[in-house]
Amino acid sequence: MEDYQERIGLLQEMIAFAVVDGELHDREYDFIQIVAEELEIDKETLHKLFDKKHEKTVIKDEFNRICQFYRLALLMHADGVLHEREQVKINEIGINMGLNPYAMKRVLHLMKNSPNAMVDGDTLLSVFSEQHN
């Protein structure tokens, strides 16, 4: 991901999603901080994002949309509690990104049944590519 504003937008989306259940859990914050480090966003900038209003970011290519959906799904599982509001919101976000609802549902099901709520990258991409056929 090249554009700084895109990376900021991804983090803003994650922050907005993390608080959809009414609170930010420590594990959710830790996960967002790890993603921020991966996206090369410093801690001070990250903290400022918690005070900013979320601005929608359009992710251009499908691979990055799938990656962001998966990040949000991991964030949803970070606190160990699956809230109904999170499930509704992640589906809404995925549909707005243009992702296939059946693929999203399948990925979320795989994550729910996984002992660590993770799906390997090849499986993730194959679930979404199956829907193209």
Side-chain angles (χ1 to χ4, degrees):
M1 188 152 311
E2 305 282 325
D3 185 62
Y4 179 78
Q5 287 306 327
E6 272 185 30
R7 292 180 284 153
I8 293 293
L10 294 176
L11 289 172
Q12 285 179 309
E13 184 172 45
M14 291 180 74
I15 291 166
F17 183 70
V19 296
V20 80
D21 63 354
E23 61 183 296
L24 179 68
H25 299 274
D26 290 342
R27 291 178 65 188
E28 291 172 325
Y29 173 79
D30 293 343
F31 182 75
I32 292 170
Q33 188 174 8
I34 290 168
V35 172
E37 289 171 7
E38 179 184 310
L39 295 175
E40 298 176 353
I41 303 297
D42 63 88
K43 202 172 194 173
E44 181 181 337
T45 303
L46 175 64
H47 286 204
K48 289 178 184 176
L49 294 178
F50 282 92
D51 298 327
K52 280 188 167 183
K53 186 178 184 303
H54 170 61
E55 299 169 13
K56 294 248 185 218
T57 303
V58 177
I59 304 171
K60 295 176 179 99
D61 66 278
E62 185 177 35
F63 176 77
N64 284 320
R65 290 193 307 264
I66 292 168
C67 289
Q68 180 65 358
F69 175 80
Y70 185 60
R71 283 186 202 108
L72 293 172
L74 288 170
L75 182 59
M76 182 171 77
H77 288 275
D79 63 358
V81 179
L82 294 177
H83 296 274
E84 185 179 336
R85 292 179 72 188
E86 290 174 325
Q87 293 175 346
V88 169
K89 188 66 175 176
I90 197 165
N91 283 309
E92 178 185 309
I93 291 169
I95 288 169
N96 288 337
M97 280 192 230
L99 296 176
N100 184 292
Y102 298 107
M104 293 185 313
K105 184 177 181 178
R106 186 153 173 238
V107 167
L108 293 173
H109 179 73
L110 288 170
M111 291 178 76
K112 187 176 182 179
N113 292 329
S114 170
N116 59 4
M118 295 182 78
V119 176
D120 74 87
D122 290 337
T123 302
L124 178 66
L125 293 175
S126 72
V127 167
F128 280 96
S129 65
E130 284 172 5
Q131 300 302 319
H132 289 276
N133 295 332

